[in-house]
Amino acid sequence: MGTLYGRHDYPALRPGHDRVIGECWTLPATAEMETLRTLDQIEGTNQSGQPNIYNRVRISIHAFPGDDANPTPDIIGVAWCYQYAVDPTVDGFRRIEPHVDHWVRWLDMMDVVT
């Protein structure tokens, strides 16, 4: 759940109530900390002496409604996620309006921006 914003170059997620469609990667436990350190560098998170661009937070993962294996949006796990640290509109992002069933994805924004 969140509020998704987009620009031509990348998305910005903030807390909210829309169903945001994204990717969820599964990693071996032995690679988790090293992978998170690398992703933190890429996302501008927890870098000494620098303000965060994104904050790494834990979120619930829901099955996509309509999936034959899981027709209701049940919680299927918890994962790390990067949420934009400040109001995205200040940096030129526009909110991506959800579809009638309250889901949203960044790729939908690409049709509008390009």
Side-chain angles (χ1 to χ4, degrees):
M1 303 292 276
T3 301
L4 189 61
Y5 297 81
R7 288 192 317 205
H8 69 284
D9 49 354
Y10 58 93
L13 178 68
R14 292 286 294 163
H17 300 289
D18 299 329
R19 301 198 59 176
V20 179
I21 298 172
E23 296 179 8
C24 186
W25 300 353
T26 302
L27 303 170
T30 55
E32 181 179 7
M33 291 314 297
E34 181 180 348
T35 302
L36 287 173
R37 277 193 299 275
T38 300
L39 288 172
D40 283 353
Q41 290 176 339
I42 292 167
E43 301 295 350
T45 302
N46 300 323
Q47 302 303 300
S48 180
Q50 300 293 321
N52 281 355
I53 298 171
Y54 287 85
N55 296 318
R56 180 168 31 105
V57 298
R58 299 284 269 177
I59 61 166
S60 296
I61 302 298
H62 299 259
F64 187 73
D67 181 349
D68 291 339
N70 196 342
T72 61
D74 297 330
I75 294 175
I76 58 174
V78 177
W80 289 111
C81 175
Y82 289 90
Q83 293 182 344
Y84 210 65
V86 298
D87 177 359
T89 61
V90 172
D91 292 329
F93 289 88
R94 292 189 339 217
R95 181 169 183 227
I96 302 173
E97 295 296 328
H99 294 255
V100 294
D101 51 0
H102 302 286
W103 63 267
V104 63
R105 64 181 176 182
W106 181 54
L107 295 177
D108 292 342
M109 180 70 176
M110 298 310 293
D111 295 334
V112 175
V113 174
T114 57

